[in-house]
Every structure is written in structure tokens, then in C-alpha cells.
Amino acid sequence: MSLLWRYERLHVLYKRTAMLIGFFFILVLILIARLFYLQIIEGERYLELADKNRTAVRLTLPARGYIYDRNGVKLAENRKTFQAVLIREQAPDYLRTLENFQKLMPLSEEEVTRIKKEIKQKRPFMPIRIKDNLTFQEAALIQMNAPDLMGIQTEEEIMRVYPLGEYGAHVVGYVSLLTDRDMEKNPDSPLLDLPGYRIGRVGIEEAQESVLQGIPGMRKTEINVLGRTVRLLEEEKAVKGKNMALTIDARLQEEATKAMGEEAGAAIVVDVQTGDVLALVSTPSFDANLFTVPISTKTWNALIKNEKNPLQNKAVNGQYSPGSIFKLVVALAGLESGHITPERKVYCSGRVQIGKQYFHCWKRGGHGHLTLEEALMHSCDVYFYQLAQEIGPDKIAEVARRLGFGELTGIGITGEKKGLVPTREWKLKRYDDGWRLGDTLNYSIGQGYLTATPIQLTRAVAEIANGGYPLEMHLITSPDESRTDKVNRIKAQKRLFQTSHLRLVRSGMNMVVNQRRGTAYYSRIDVDGQKMAGKTASTQVRRITMKERKAGIVSQKDLPWKYRDHGLFAAFAPIEKPRFAVVVVAEHGGGGASAAAPIAARIMREALRLYPNDESLNNLFNPDIYPFSDDNLNDSDKADFKEKTADLQDTPVNASDTFITSQNDSMADTQKTDEVAQ
Amino acid sequence: MTFYKDHNCYWKNYRLTLIEKIKRFNYKFLFLICAVVFIGIGVLYSAANGSWHPWADKQLLRFFLSLSALTVVSLINYRLWLKYAYWIYGIGILLLLGVAVFGHVGMGAQRWLNLGIVNVQPSEVMKIALVLALARYFHNATLSDVRSIQYMIPPALMMIFPVGLIMEQPDLGTSLMLVFVTGAIFFVVGVQIWKFFVVIAGVSVCIPIIWTFLHDYQKQRVLTFLNPENDPLGAGYHIIQSKITIGSGGLFGKGFMESTQSRLNFLPEKQTDFIFTVLSEEFGFFGSTALIGLYFIIILYGFYIGYRSNNFFGKLLAIGLTVNFALYVFINIGMVSGLLPVVGVPLPLISYGGTAMLTLFVGFGLIESVYINREMVIGPNGANEDD
């Protein structure tokens, strides 16, 4: 064993070990350099990524602004309803839980399938909706049965509620869940990304969407890798949308809808001095609450397929020939152009011959000699045939436009239609045809190409009634301006017509209703001496053929509904110093006097009863002085709810016990007790 | 008792009393090891959101068990292991074969062998057995022996056989460690450096062939390593989250128990292979650098003990086991910081897990034994002589 051998071997071993140590030292430096890169150079970025990992920002739904009527009656409000959710990880045997739940509240086959599907798809801690729109009592029932319903929890949910139901559906509108189309229309709105957000449809809900919707809140929570919320980091409360008050009177709205009965059509009431709309009814209507929870296909199809078209707002959207109501316009045009004087009489023989064509008066035998007032009273067609020939269509069109025909009233409901005021130029352009005398005659009795919406007719009548002051139609109250100021502002405008002319026309309208032989005599009213004036109109939907005329089929009741005449009635009251104008359109009602006038009379009677004088219209509800701060759900509300259900468990549900709330109680409490009371 | 040179210290005359052994024990080395273990228990406590359960308490128990193992092993004269080195290696191979035939499948790999009372992980046994066998083989090797190719064939086979079996399990991390440990021992005993390059070149050529033998998940790991962002929610998730966790620690870290990534479970199995990230997130660059420093001191100490040994077997044993320990450190930290593919190597002394800790402590016990018996001389024939 040589020493050299051992020395050599050790020498190499030490040298190589030193090299190894050097190599390891380099590895250590590399690791430290790597950590330096990750933690110091890129540290900020990774810190951000870690923060992004651990936090989830969720928007919270703002409560929608309330809609009140002119007196503070709620037309649209939010109610706390409850929904039952299932959290699978808390349900050891979710199938049994579901079974037990169904014993309590039945679920449709469809729903059960959906729930089971969601149970399979969702993470065990994610709540699965079992049933929503539960009342407080139903939620309490679930809470009381908690031991049999392992995993089921009740959560509060804000639901839009329309207390008027079908009475205000068209004017107030409704809300419903979003469709893909809505997303495309407003790609930037953060609200639309929120599940459960319901957007306004039709009426004020649609038109005032941006005001009512409010500002979404934000919840920043810490989440773990599974997305489960660990704790709340930051919260910005959602801001409730603005409340607004409408010029509508809920009682009048309801009465008008009831007065319409089975008729399809529209009824409108306005304050002639301000243009405030007190009732805006379109029939048949539908329950606005139907859409808040997803509407069933069956109900939807029934609405869509109904020939009376319940979803259309006929008051602003329906375009009708104004018929004899337009004679008021022709009369004003004649007076203004000097073709008629109050004394001038025109002879009606029952028909007029133009070329080879006969134009009939509605009365076969004719009316004989008539003044303007009498012509209006009898609604004599021949008088106006004669008059229109003398005035010419240009003047009629000009006066019609002045009264707002052919243009939007700007009432503030989307989907309003313009109607049509035909002129020579228009006909040339549209039909490439000259204006004929027959067109003028049709014009004079409000038929032919001329169309107008009920709201336009209402404005025209209101302007005739208020002494010729131009009106803007309103649905939303303006809290900044008192009614007196508003009336003064309107009265400061230039009148559209001479007072004497208007007086004459109004006198004719008075005679229509209050003279024994007036067309609407049977619809006259007298509310404490306040009477109504008006004008009937029956417009043909189809021509009555010569054959039918000879065969004597003139009774509207013998015709199928679709072919019956439209019945219209435009009225104002009281005759001295008018307050209200009412227009009623009864589609295929058979006739203005028989179908529309009685409805208008009933509505007007209610209006005059509710507002016996000008002053009674003055007090408008101000939505801004009514603060509701607690519409958003929060924990204290939930605790509150738990407390209440605990009470319920101890004692049998006793409405009188839970119903008593002190004046200081928050609005939310009152709502809850409302629920109990139901 | 004082020792002088060969004749007095020849292993047959070399007898130490228990007291002497305890006196000669290297407490500084043990202290460094225990320091790392306690840091680890603290991190496990934090990783469980400030709870002893479920990891820290068990880890503490395992520490005490491993510590007693270390004590027992250190008090045994390692000449015994020189004598039985091949037997131990043989048992290791048998156990590996046993796993291949009867093994338990856990976490997608077949690594465990149920011996009735305990579950044994033979690949861990092999880490020590291979070092023992190689040290035994080179104990009497001359430099010219080492430089001849025929002489190097048996030790190469000693490595290739278990590596093949472990690859089959499959456990890429342990296989690589065995390869590297063997390589390091070959390197220190004096195999010419050019031969390493030849082997590396040869392996590079073979990589496409080896590739076809790799399991899909192993391929996936390598591919993911090459481009983790490719599959951020799948295979790359681990490494991306791991980098986020380390990086978000910054200079000083978020503070003890303030780790969000760990607390919110963004890293699955953070208590085992990815435990370094928790420490990095909570103690930042300073904390993780300090830990690496501590590890490096332990490594240096291991080499120092090898240097102090008076016989070749002891030196190789200490160096081999130290290299084994160092490989754990470098591979694990390299892997969690995105420098190496995720091959499933735990962070030594810190990662939750009993077998690795026990193996390491047995290894440290051997190193301590080398230190305690540092003056002992064992001749070239020492392995074959009887007591």
C-alpha cells in the first residue's frame, strides 16, 4: 500500500470536492438571483396577481326608484320577497330535502328537473334557486320546517311590484329580465351584466329607465381558490334610483279601465289647463306583475295571439281616423277663413253628388237647414262636405297641424305614433296622384288618409276647451313648478284661435251632449251642476257597400267584431271654465254615441267628483320629500327577519300582533308587515 | 484517550465509550438541522391557517422520531455499514422489486410497500443504500482503477438498476437524484471530466428515445415547464400560482401567517413540495435567502465532516449524503421558482412528510457517525476483514 496512491486519491478528492462546493455555490447564487427576480424585480406584478387571485369584485343591484301617482299612491314599488335556495353541501340528502320541500310547496316537474341539473353542475356551496317570489309567510313556513329542509335557506329578494296590476300596465310599464338584444343595445352598462337585473319595458319604466335604475353598488370580497367568499373587504352601497311621481290619478286610471269594460281601445283624461295626463288607459290590459318573474310561454302566447292586442298601448300607439271629431277642426278652419259665420245655414238633403259618386250623410233623409252649431250637434256630414269644398284641404291641414295633428305630443312614452295629416304634396309623393275633391270631402268628416292617435285627439280637444292655449302633454310631475305657475305660464302663450271661434265650437259640442237631439244626449252628465260637452265619432273600418245599404244591414251588431265601426268620443267638462278633456276610443265599438260616449261620461263623472274644482288639482305629490334609504338588502335586515321568524315560531301567526308598527319604524318594516297582513 | 496516526486508530483498535461518543458528537451540525426543522414546523403551522392541526403537530412528532433515529445511527460505528453495504443495497433492490410487484398505488404512482406494520417507500431507502454501496465500492479504488472504464461498469450498473425501477414507478424526481448523487460521487473520486461530457452528449442524443418511454404525465410536466402559461388552469396552474406566491412576497414578505395565496388555497398540496412558496410569501426575499443560506451552511458542514474523516469510505459517505441533501434543496427550490420542471422533490426538513424526513435524519446520523469516528482508519481491505 503505497503512500503515493493514497495521497493521489485524496488530492483528487479534495480538489473535486472543492469544485463541487464551488458548483453548489453557483447554484445557490442562481437560486438567489431567481428569487431576486421574482420577488424584487417582478414583485409588484406578482403581488397584483395574488390580489387578483384572492379578491372578487361583485356589483350589487340598486333598488329601482318608486313610481307614485299624483297623490302619492304607489304605482310601482319594490317589495322584499323571499326565495328559497338550496346549498348542496349543507344538505346531506338533497333528494329528501327536495321531497320534503315539495310537501310544503309544490314544484313543477320542469322546475325539479332544472334544480337537479343545477345541483350536478354547480359547486356545492353555490346557492341553487328552488322557488322565488315567496311571501313572508311562506318564507317563515320554510324557516319553521328547517329541520326537515336541511340545506334550504331563504334569501331576501327585491321584486318590482305594481299595485295597480292591469290598471296601469301600459302607462307605468313593467320590468323584466334581460334578453340578448338588451345587451347588444347597451354594451357598456355595468348593470346589465348583473344577474337578476330587470330592465324597464314600455311606459314610464322604459322611458325613464336611466332615472329609475340607480347606481349599482360594489362588493369586494376575498375568495379562496374554489371561489368561496371568505370575507368582505370593501363595500360600496348601491344607490337607489330616483323616485318619481306621475300626473296620473290611480283612482281615475282604475275607473277609466273599468269603464272601458270589454271594449278594446283607449281612454285618456287630461287637465286642460296644464296638459297633465290624469289617466291613460289602453284596453285590454295585462297584469304588469306577470313579467317580473319569467313569464310562462302559455301566458305570453295568449297575450300575443289575442286579436285585441293587449300589449299595444293604443292611447299613444293606435292610429285611428278621427271621424266626426275632426269636424271641430274643419269648423275652426271655416270660421278662421271666413267661409262660415255663426248665422250661415247650409241645407242637408242627405247626400251630395260629386261627379258620378254620391257622398251620403249618415242620416238618410238629411237634416235640412243647419247652422254650424246645429251641424256639430247632429254631426251632419253634408254641412261639412259643403264647407270643406269651400275652404279647401290646405287650410284644413294647416289648422289640423296647429292643433297638433300629425306630430308627436311628446308625452314621454316610447312608441308614440305621429298619425297623418294628408296634404296635396303628401298625396303626390305617396301615391303619385293628384288631390281629388272626394279626398277633401273625406277629409271634412275625418276619414280617408287622415289618422290621429287618441293622445293627439285629447290634446286637440283640451286646446279647444282651454281657450286655445297650446299644451304640452305630461305624465311626470314637475316638483319645481306649482300648478298655478304652470297655468299662468301656459296662459301667457299666444292663443291658437280666436276666442269667439272656439266659443262657437264649444257651444256646438255642448249641444251634442246637452240638447235633446244631440248625438250624445243620452250620455249627458251633471255633477253638482257641472256639465260635459263633447263630440261623437263613428268611423268605418270598411266601406258599407251599396248592396248592404239596400239590403238594410246597417245594424253594427250584425257584423263581426272586426268589421264594426270604431266608436270615438272627445269631451271636456265643465262647460264653463273646463278642467278636463276626455277622449275614448272603442275599437269596433259600433258607434261613438253608443259605445264611446257612455264610457267617457262615466270617466268624466268620476273626474269631476274627485276634483270638484280647480284648486283640488293643485296638490301634487312630491316624490323627493319621501326618503327611502333602506331599500337595499343588508345584514341588519336579515337579522331583523330572523328575529321575526323566531317570533313566529314561538307564537301562532297573529296578524294583529305583528301588524302594529310604531311611526318610527322604517318603511321596510311596514312593507314586511304588509306581507304578513296579506 | 488520544489518537495518533494509523496504528492506534486502526478500526480494530478503535473503541469509543458512549460518553466519548456523546462528547465527540457535532452539536453545531445538529443544531443547524433542528433550526431548519423548526422553521419548517412554523411554516406548516402558518400554512394550516395558524393551526397545529393537521400538519405541524404530526411533523413535530416525526421530528422526534427522526431525531431518535439520528441518535441511534450516529452512535453506531459506521464500519458496520461498510461491511454490510452491499447487503443493504441488495435489500433496497428487493424492496424496489417488491413495489413493482405488490406496491400500493398512491397519487398516481406506485411508490409504497406495505410491510404489515408500516408503509415503506423503498426509493427513499435506496437513496442511502446507493451511497453506501458506491462508497463501499470506491473505498479501496485507486485513481487508475477509477479511470478505467471496466472498473466503472459495476457502479454504473449499481445506479442504473434502481433508477430503472424507480422510473418505472414512476418517480422522475428520485430517479434524477440518484443519477446526480452517483454522478457527484464519480466526480469526486476522480473520473475524468471529459467522460461526463461524453455521457451528457450521449444522453442528449438518447433524449428523443427516452421521451417515448416517459409517462404522459411526465411528458406533460416537462412540456408545462417549458411553457407554463400554455395551460394556465391545467398542468401549468401549479407553477404559475407558485411563482405568484413567491413573487408576491416581495422584499420582506407579507408577515407570518399573512400569506393569502396559501390561506386561500391557491396552491394545492402547499404543505408538501410547494412549502417553500409559503415561506417566501410570508418572509419575502430576505426570509427565503436566509433559508437558502442556512441550507448552504449545512451542506458546507457536511463536506467539512467528510474532510475531517480519516478514511475514504467515511469521506465518500459524508460527501454522498451531503450531495443528496443539497440536491433536494436545489431541485425543490429550482422547481417551485420555475427554473426546473415540477418533478416532485420535497424541500428537505421542511416539507410535510415522514419518510423523507426519516431518510434525511438517518443520513445525518451517518454523517454524525462519520464525525464521531473521524480519526478511525480503515484499510483498503477493511470491508472484508472480520471484527
Side-chain angles (χ1 to χ4, degrees):
Chain A
M1 181 159 56
S2 85
L3 273 173
L4 186 65
W5 167 77
R6 295 179 67 186
Y7 170 77
E8 205 178 42
R9 190 166 84 146
L10 279 181
H11 177 75
V12 169
L13 183 75
Y14 293 152
K15 206 173 81 182
R16 290 289 178 91
T17 307
M19 284 166 77
L20 200 59
I21 289 169
F23 176 62
F24 282 177
F25 187 65
I26 291 167
L27 287 185
V28 165
L29 289 184
I30 289 173
L31 287 185
I32 290 173
R34 176 65 175 173
L35 290 174
F36 186 82
Y37 170 77
L38 288 177
Q39 299 189 296
I40 311 296
I41 297 173
E42 293 280 288
E44 291 280 311
R45 188 170 75 90
Y46 283 118
L47 192 61
E48 259 172 48
L49 285 172
D51 262 352
K52 223 158 94 188
N53 260 347
R54 82 184 174 105
T55 55
V57 176
R58 238 186 46 213
L59 295 178
T60 52
L61 278 174
R64 217 172 156 81
Y66 282 16
I67 303 175
Y68 298 93
D69 86 338
R70 64 190 296 122
N71 300 312
V73 174
K74 284 178 203 145
L75 301 180
E77 60 173 316
N78 304 327
R79 267 195 212 152
K80 283 171 186 177
T81 62
F82 299 88
Q83 62 172 347
V85 296
L86 174 75
I87 298 169
R88 197 198 346 140
E89 64 176 7
Q90 291 169 12
D93 182 356
Y94 66 82
L95 288 174
R96 240 192 68 193
T97 301
L98 269 182
E99 255 171 51
N100 289 339
F101 186 84
Q102 287 184 74
K103 281 178 205 155
L104 221 58
M105 270 165 236
L107 293 170
S108 72
E109 196 85 352
E110 230 177 295
E111 284 292 281
V112 174
T113 326
R114 176 190 60 80
I115 292 162
K116 283 183 180 165
K117 203 175 117 197
E118 277 189 43
I119 285 174
K120 286 199 188 96
Q121 288 169 348
K122 284 194 172 173
R123 289 179 169 162
F125 58 87
M126 297 285 276
I128 294 159
R129 189 170 55 86
I130 301 288
K131 197 172 171 70
D132 51 18
N133 217 357
L134 299 172
T135 64
F136 179 75
Q137 271 185 320
E138 287 171 316
L141 192 65
I142 292 171
Q143 296 264 318
M144 279 187 271
N145 287 288
D148 293 327
L149 299 170
M150 296 273 274
I152 292 213
Q153 290 183 1
T154 49
E155 285 182 353
E156 289 182 36
E157 190 184 22
I158 298 182
M159 274 285 175
R160 193 69 159 171
V161 172
Y162 301 97
L164 249 46
E166 61 176 331
Y167 296 134
H170 291 103
V171 60
V172 179
Y174 59 87
V175 293
S176 72
L177 290 169
L178 298 166
T179 61
D180 294 341
R181 272 238 319 275
D182 298 314
M183 307 277 194
E184 280 164 28
K185 263 195 279 179
N186 315 289
D188 297 330
S189 171
L191 259 175
L192 300 197
D193 288 338
L194 276 173
Y197 180 70
R198 290 169 167 90
I199 198 169
R201 312 273 184 199
V202 311
I204 292 298
E205 289 274 32
E206 183 183 19
Q208 298 294 320
E209 170 68 27
S210 57
V211 180
L212 291 167
Q213 67 179 195
I215 304 162
M218 192 266 299
R219 272 172 75 86
K220 193 173 173 188
T221 51
E222 188 170 84
I223 52 158
N224 70 5
V225 66
L226 298 173
R228 187 198 295 266
T229 302
V230 178
R231 66 189 163 114
L232 181 67
L233 295 174
E234 247 180 277
E235 182 168 25
E236 234 173 73
K237 288 244 168 175
V239 180
K240 186 182 182 242
K242 250 177 90 71
N243 294 331
M244 53 175 54
L246 303 188
T247 56
I248 296 287
D249 182 305
R251 297 164 296 180
L252 208 51
Q253 181 81 15
E254 184 174 338
E255 181 65 17
T257 314
K258 284 180 175 161
M260 286 297 287
E262 292 297 302
E263 298 287 356
I268 300 169
V269 181
V270 297
D271 176 342
V272 299
Q273 294 173 54
T274 57
D276 290 349
V277 178
L278 278 87
L280 190 99
V281 168
S282 175
T283 54
S285 189
F286 56 90
D287 186 354
N289 296 305
L290 280 178
F291 293 88
T292 319
V293 287
I295 188 168
S296 74
T297 325
K298 211 174 117 194
T299 320
W300 174 251
N301 283 340
L303 286 174
I304 284 284
K305 287 183 181 147
N306 189 332
E307 64 172 348
K308 294 186 177 177
N309 212 350
L311 291 178
Q312 185 196 10
N313 186 352
K314 300 178 180 79
V316 299
N317 203 357
Q319 303 181 94
Y320 305 92
S321 297
S324 303
I325 295 171
F326 197 68
K327 287 171 184 165
L328 304 171
V329 180
V330 179
L332 283 170
L335 287 164
E336 202 168 84
S337 62
H339 288 94
I340 34 172
T341 55
E343 296 78 29
R344 182 182 163 188
K345 289 197 171 185
V346 171
Y347 180 73
C348 166
S349 66
R351 64 185 188 182
V352 172
Q353 190 179 5
I354 305 289
K356 284 179 186 165
Q357 214 182 341
Y358 286 101
F359 284 80
H360 293 271
C361 187
W362 64 270
K363 194 173 176 188
R364 300 291 309 263
H367 290 95
H369 292 280
L370 295 167
T371 61
L372 175 65
E373 285 167 288
E374 286 163 344
L376 285 172
M377 175 175 104
H378 293 296
S379 199
C380 174
D381 293 339
V382 171
Y383 182 98
F384 287 94
Y385 291 152
Q386 181 60 39
L387 194 56
Q389 289 181 58
E390 292 169 22
I391 317 166
D394 299 341
K395 180 67 185 172
I396 296 173
E398 189 265 314
V399 171
R401 287 198 172 281
R402 209 187 303 165
L403 277 166
F405 285 90
E407 64 183 56
L408 298 177
T409 62
I411 188 173
I413 288 183
T414 45
E416 193 188 350
K417 290 270 166 66
K418 270 185 174 173
L420 178 69
V421 176
T423 57
R424 291 174 202 275
E425 298 78 43
W426 170 83
K427 196 184 174 195
L428 202 64
K429 218 169 138 188
R430 176 76 173 73
Y431 291 101
D432 198 18
D433 195 6
W435 188 269
R436 292 161 202 275
L437 193 53
D439 294 332
T440 309
L441 296 199
N442 270 336
Y443 214 157
S444 69
I445 57 164
Q447 302 259 12
Y449 305 117
L450 178 75
T451 59
T453 60
I455 190 73
Q456 284 174 330
L457 290 176
T458 317
R459 174 162 75 177
V461 174
E463 284 172 351
I464 289 169
N466 76 2
Y469 296 107
L471 281 180
E472 278 173 28
M473 305 305 250
H474 296 286
L475 265 177
I476 298 166
T477 57
S478 37
D480 309 332
E481 193 182 29
S482 75
R483 184 170 181 274
T484 325
D485 290 346
K486 201 167 170 182
V487 170
N488 289 337
R489 178 168 59 80
I490 287 164
K491 289 218 169 131
Q493 295 178 101
K494 204 170 156 259
R495 291 170 195 254
L496 296 169
F497 300 98
Q498 279 183 34
T499 322
S500 59
H501 296 166
L502 290 168
R503 202 173 292 138
L504 203 60
V505 170
R506 284 205 299 267
S507 163
M509 289 173 78
N510 182 7
M511 287 159 72
V512 168
V513 183
N514 297 310
Q515 285 278 327
R516 187 166 291 277
R517 289 169 61 208
T519 51
Y521 180 66
Y522 293 102
S523 299
R524 68 196 179 280
I525 60 169
D526 186 340
V527 181
D528 303 328
Q530 303 188 57
K531 293 184 176 179
M532 175 172 79
K535 181 74 198 76
T536 56
S538 308
T539 65
Q540 287 169 22
V541 178
R542 68 192 255 285
R543 256 192 126 68
I544 301 173
T545 59
M546 219 49 189
K547 223 162 118 192
E548 279 171 342
R549 213 178 273 276
K550 284 197 180 127
I553 307 176
V554 278
S555 172
Q556 288 286 320
K557 281 180 184 149
D558 296 340
L559 289 167
W561 182 76
K562 273 204 311 202
Y563 299 130
R564 290 181 206 163
D565 288 353
H566 288 330
L568 284 77
F569 192 70
F572 65 86
I575 291 164
E576 311 302 328
K577 213 160 178 277
R579 278 199 301 283
F580 300 111
V582 171
V583 165
V584 171
V585 175
E587 281 187 354
H588 310 292
S594 60
I599 296 170
R602 181 173 164 188
I603 297 169
M604 191 64 95
R605 205 179 290 127
E606 180 70 4
L608 293 174
R609 194 183 66 75
L610 290 172
Y611 298 97
N613 49 45
D614 274 10
E615 289 70 40
S616 58
L617 283 163
N618 283 351
N619 292 325
L620 284 173
F621 174 75
N622 183 354
D624 296 340
I625 57 167
Y626 238 80
F628 295 97
S629 55
D630 52 355
D631 273 326
N632 286 318
L633 297 175
N634 53 40
D635 292 339
S636 65
D637 280 345
K638 279 181 187 158
D640 195 31
F641 167 65
K642 288 232 171 75
E643 211 172 274
K644 281 202 171 136
T645 44
D647 287 350
L648 283 173
Q649 279 172 0
D650 293 342
T651 52
V653 180
N654 185 338
S656 63
D657 280 348
T658 39
F659 202 52
I660 298 164
T661 48
S662 73
Q663 289 293 59
N664 296 335
D665 269 359
S666 72
M667 205 58 204
D669 284 347
T670 322
Q671 281 165 37
K672 276 174 194 157
T673 44
D674 280 347
E675 298 256 357
V676 176
Q678 281 168 11
Chain B
M1 176 155 127
T2 321
F3 296 97
Y4 294 102
K5 290 303 165 196
D6 293 3
H7 62 282
N8 275 339
C9 303
Y10 193 66
W11 69 271
K12 283 197 177 174
N13 309 326
Y14 196 87
R15 293 280 185 276
L16 294 178
T17 61
L18 184 64
I19 308 283
E20 281 167 338
K21 280 179 178 173
I22 290 168
K23 274 186 183 165
R24 298 163 71 82
F25 193 91
N26 192 328
Y27 291 99
K28 288 178 205 154
F29 188 56
L30 183 68
F31 173 79
L32 289 171
I33 292 162
C34 292
V36 175
V37 171
F38 284 117
I39 289 170
I41 288 171
V43 176
L44 285 174
Y45 176 81
S46 165
N49 298 341
S51 160
W52 285 95
H53 186 76
W55 303 310
D57 49 359
K58 280 195 199 140
Q59 187 81 344
L60 192 65
L61 194 70
R62 283 165 179 167
F63 164 68
F64 286 121
L65 274 172
S66 307
L67 192 63
S68 18
L70 180 145
T71 316
V72 170
V73 171
S74 66
L75 295 178
I76 297 169
N77 189 330
Y78 64 91
R79 215 292 302 192
L80 190 70
W81 312 125
L82 174 65
K83 191 177 176 187
Y84 295 113
Y86 291 150
W87 287 102
I88 293 168
Y89 176 82
I91 290 167
I93 292 293
L94 280 177
L95 288 173
L96 279 177
L97 285 169
V99 166
V101 183
F102 312 107
H104 278 247
V105 176
M107 309 276 289
Q110 194 173 345
R111 291 176 190 171
W112 300 87
L113 194 61
N114 193 340
L115 289 186
I117 317 159
V118 281
N119 280 333
V120 174
Q121 206 176 339
S123 53
E124 289 294 321
V125 175
M126 205 62 214
K127 280 177 188 161
I128 288 172
L130 182 66
V131 172
L132 281 174
L134 289 173
R136 160 81 179 77
Y137 186 80
F138 290 113
H139 173 62
N140 55 359
T142 64
L143 205 54
S144 49
D145 284 342
V146 167
R147 290 185 174 170
S148 78
I149 292 195
Q150 313 93 289
Y151 188 81
M152 292 308 289
I153 288 171
L157 288 176
M158 268 184 229
M159 177 265 280
I160 287 167
F161 197 46
V163 164
L165 285 170
I166 292 167
M167 277 279 217
E168 194 51 39
Q169 287 182 353
D171 183 350
L172 190 60
T174 306
S175 313
L176 283 176
M177 281 182 64
L178 292 185
V179 173
F180 289 142
V181 167
T182 311
I185 291 173
F186 282 14
F187 181 76
V188 294
V189 297
V191 175
Q192 300 96 313
I193 291 173
W194 64 264
K195 284 185 181 161
F196 289 92
F197 286 108
V198 169
V199 171
I200 290 167
V203 169
S204 311
V205 172
C206 293
I207 276 177
I209 301 158
I210 293 171
W211 181 252
T212 60
F213 286 100
L214 286 181
H215 281 255
D216 278 345
Y217 92 96
Q218 288 170 325
K219 285 184 189 172
Q220 197 55 50
R221 277 181 177 181
V222 177
L223 287 176
T224 302
F225 163 67
L226 294 174
N227 189 6
E229 280 78 9
N230 229 352
D231 184 11
L233 287 176
Y237 178 82
H238 257 87
I239 195 64
I240 290 172
Q241 289 299 340
S242 176
K243 276 156 75 175
I244 291 174
T245 314
I246 295 174
S248 66
L251 189 59
F252 296 106
K254 295 175 184 169
F256 185 55
M257 308 259 295
E258 296 293 323
S259 157
T260 63
Q261 285 279 103
S262 145
R263 178 159 53 78
L264 303 170
N265 262 329
F266 281 96
L267 272 169
E269 298 296 307
K270 66 203 168 194
Q271 77 279 15
T272 56
D273 292 358
F274 286 87
I275 192 74
F276 183 76
T277 62
V278 180
L279 180 123
S280 290
E281 190 183 4
E282 294 188 350
F283 300 102
F285 178 70
F286 275 99
S288 25
T289 309
L291 181 72
I292 292 173
L294 202 52
Y295 276 128
F296 194 58
I297 293 169
I298 292 172
I299 293 164
L300 288 178
Y301 230 119
F303 286 128
Y304 166 73
I305 288 171
Y307 173 74
R308 288 289 303 274
S309 174
N310 236 346
N311 69 78
F312 208 66
F313 177 71
K315 284 178 192 295
L316 284 184
L317 195 57
I319 290 169
L321 291 169
T322 305
V323 167
N324 181 48
F325 175 74
L327 285 173
Y328 270 111
V329 176
F330 294 131
I331 294 179
N332 179 273
I333 299 177
M335 141 187 137
V336 297
S337 63
L339 288 174
L340 296 172
V342 179
V343 289
V345 171
L347 187 65
L349 307 178
I350 293 186
S351 281
Y352 177 76
T355 318
M357 168 114 79
L358 189 65
T359 317
L360 282 162
F361 268 70
V362 168
F364 289 131
L366 290 170
I367 294 174
E368 282 286 1
S369 176
V370 169
Y371 188 74
I372 289 168
N373 304 302
R374 55 190 177 270
E375 276 99 356
M376 181 170 70
V377 172
I378 307 174
N381 222 13
N384 301 325
E385 290 172 36
D386 283 331
D387 296 70

